[in-house]
Amino acid sequence: MKLRKMLLLAALLLGAAPVPAAPAPVLVLTIQGAIGPATADYVHRGLEAAAKEGAQLVVLKMDTPGGLDTAMRSIIQDILASPVPVASYVAPSGARAASAGTYILYASHFAVMAPATNLGAATPIAIGAPSVPAPATTDKKDKKGKAQDSGSTLEHKMVHDASAYIRGLAQLRGRNADWAERAVREAVSLSSNEAAKIHVIDFIADSVPALLEKLDGRKVKAAGVEHTLRVAGAKVDEFEIGWRTKLLGVITNPSVAYLLVLLGIYAVLYEFSNPGLVLPGVVGVISILLAMYAFQLLPVNYAGLALILLGIAFMVAEAFLPAFGSLGIGGLIAFVIGSIILIDTDAPGFEIPYALIGGIAAASAAFLILVIGMLVRGRRRPVVTGREEMIGASGVALDDFSGEGWARVHSETWRVRASAPVRKGQRLRVKAINGLLLDVTAEPGNGNGG
């Protein structure tokens, strides 16, 4: 009896024992390719989702050649403000975190790389200018012996600003700040093994599970709150790219935005030349609005956009004015120059290919000069229907008359008036219309017809 009670008590105690709670999930975000507005939107939404779902860690898996400065800074601001710790992970093997990717790696709570990956080359690039050389090779001396920079003031401002920015991130996370500054000033790069040795990154991991094993038990502060990570064996969720971010990625592709604005302009021109079709006008307005939204997010040189519009205007004018090709050639040159300088950055992945510009320029010239020229020639053709078509029409007198009589014009019998006597069968030419009376003149050299 005592044994049974003891067994029952033990069963009750075991049944009442608390079941250990499963660790909070880990959310994985993937950045692949150039960093732009769509990437910034994706990371922002991912960090928001991680906070709402109570994730204990976000793994930002990266393989990027760099990207736009504005998008990069937006991502870094979101990481610094995130209540969920972020581990940036350069993977898979062969991937890189160049330029903007290096800044994001330094801003993250943990910096991890897969074997055979690299980071660095973080020098900012100015439009139309080469990368700024190292200070040691650019300094000259003036007559008084003082050091004098050979680079432009703007370039050096950009480099100093970027150096201070990445040094501040390195000091915040306790990483190698000197190398970070060299990555900006000298555009140096590091392999994953070298980065781990000089404390640019925290460690190397072969995979996400291996990364989580190494982070398990570590303490980290995020948004002022200290967290102890329990991520070994935690559930790993992938944050999918939503349709909004996919659409944003498509329209903020510089080539797509360029094509959208041209499609919009040509569609609106076609609608104006053929009023009432409606569809070209609708397509044109939608395309222009999408292009303007994309240009708002991209580093657009509005002088380039103005040159494109001017070039199209000149090519249209060539079809209407006897300029002997000067307007058309000038418009084509303005169009090409505007297209080349439209996107105001040399960031990888955000240039408009020259082959696309050349093809569009040739197609634009053909469309605007040939098609609009055909439209103008069509408008100059004689009218073949209606009241105006009667002017100049030929007819035949149905009887002899002096003053007014009858004639057949276009197989119809008309009352006609002539200033000279007319014989039956004589050929007549209509000069004017007065109500239902035609003013005609006799054609010389015509005999009697029937």
Side-chain angles (χ1 to χ4, degrees):
M1 195 68 179
K2 287 182 179 180
L3 180 60
R4 184 179 294 177
K5 286 182 179 180
M6 290 176 65
L7 290 173
L8 288 171
L9 183 61
L12 289 170
L13 290 172
L14 288 172
V19 178
V26 172
L27 196 62
V28 177
L29 278 64
T30 302
I31 295 178
Q32 192 162 16
I35 293 172
T39 313
D41 178 78
Y42 169 67
V43 173
H44 179 77
R45 291 175 177 273
L47 293 177
E48 278 188 344
K52 289 178 182 177
E53 295 171 10
Q56 59 174 324
L57 181 69
V58 171
V59 176
L60 195 59
K61 193 174 177 183
M62 286 196 300
D63 179 12
T64 177
L68 300 180
D69 179 76
T70 51
M72 173 200 77
R73 289 179 184 258
S74 177
I75 291 171
I76 290 174
Q77 287 172 2
D78 285 335
I79 291 173
L80 297 179
S82 173
V84 181
V86 177
S88 284
Y89 179 40
V90 185
S93 293
R96 56 179 169 165
S99 191
T102 301
Y103 292 83
I104 294 172
L105 201 69
Y106 263 89
S108 302
H109 300 86
F110 300 102
V112 187
M113 298 175 74
T117 55
N118 65 282
L119 82 163
T123 304
I125 301 173
I127 184 70
S131 298
V132 180
T137 62
T138 59
D139 290 343
K140 295 180 179 180
K141 291 187 177 180
D142 59 16
K143 294 179 180 179
K144 296 181 180 179
K146 293 182 179 179
Q148 192 176 36
D149 291 328
S150 61
S152 73
T153 303
L154 177 60
E155 290 170 353
H156 284 285
K157 280 183 177 180
M158 291 170 60
V159 171
H160 293 323
D161 176 68
S163 299
Y165 188 53
I166 200 168
R167 177 172 280 276
L169 296 174
Q171 291 169 347
L172 176 68
R173 301 303 186 198
R175 299 198 181 100
N176 191 326
D178 292 335
W179 184 87
E181 192 167 347
R182 285 188 61 210
V184 173
R185 295 186 179 278
E186 302 174 30
V188 294
S189 296
L190 276 181
S191 67
S192 54
N193 289 330
E194 294 168 331
K197 285 178 184 176
I198 63 173
H199 197 50
V200 169
I201 62 172
D202 295 295
F203 54 84
I204 297 172
D206 295 328
S207 61
V208 172
L211 178 151
L212 298 180
E213 288 286 345
K214 292 184 178 182
L215 287 181
D216 192 57
R218 294 205 184 194
K219 293 184 178 181
V220 61
K221 272 191 176 183
V225 179
E226 188 172 274
H227 302 261
T228 301
L229 299 179
R230 302 297 178 194
V231 290
K235 180 185 177 185
V236 177
D237 295 327
E238 292 277 348
F239 184 71
E240 299 294 332
I241 300 176
W243 68 267
R244 181 183 182 277
T245 303
K246 288 180 180 178
L247 176 63
L248 187 62
V250 170
I251 65 174
T252 54
N253 180 308
S255 297
V256 174
Y258 175 65
L259 291 173
L260 278 174
V261 73
L262 295 181
L263 172 64
I265 292 169
Y266 296 154
V268 169
L269 282 175
Y270 191 76
E271 177 66 32
F272 284 155
S273 63
N274 298 272
L277 291 180
V278 180
L279 181 60
V282 171
V283 172
V285 170
I286 292 173
S287 299
I288 289 173
L289 289 176
L290 287 174
M292 291 301 103
Y293 177 69
F295 288 160
Q296 174 200 356
L297 300 173
L298 291 170
V300 172
N301 184 339
Y302 287 97
L305 183 59
L307 280 171
I308 290 174
L309 296 175
L310 182 65
I312 292 174
F314 279 173
M315 286 188 281
V316 170
E318 178 64 39
F320 292 91
L321 301 175
F324 306 103
S326 59
L327 281 175
I329 294 172
L332 191 61
I333 292 171
F335 182 89
V336 171
I337 294 174
S339 300
I340 291 172
I341 68 172
L342 179 63
I343 301 299
D344 194 10
T345 183
D346 279 348
F350 286 91
E351 65 279 349
I352 299 176
Y354 290 158
L356 177 63
I357 293 173
I360 293 295
S364 298
F367 175 82
L368 292 170
I369 294 175
L370 297 180
V371 176
I372 296 179
M374 290 172 60
L375 176 65
V376 173
R377 287 194 295 272
R379 288 184 175 180
R380 290 175 180 171
R381 289 175 185 168
V383 180
V384 295
T385 60
R387 181 183 178 90
E388 291 78 8
E389 183 269 341
M390 293 293 292
I391 306 300
S394 178
V396 178
L398 297 178
D399 53 13
D400 296 333
F401 64 87
S402 178
E404 293 187 5
W406 294 92
R408 186 175 299 279
V409 180
H410 285 179
S411 302
E412 297 173 345
T413 302
W414 286 83
R415 186 72 175 170
V416 298
R417 179 174 58 196
S419 59
V422 174
R423 293 170 295 168
K424 182 179 179 180
Q426 190 171 4
R427 304 293 298 181
L428 306 173
R429 183 74 59 185
V430 178
K431 298 189 300 180
I433 302 175
N434 295 297
L436 297 178
L437 181 67
L438 304 182
D439 287 336
V440 298
T441 182
E443 294 185 359
N446 287 296
N448 293 335

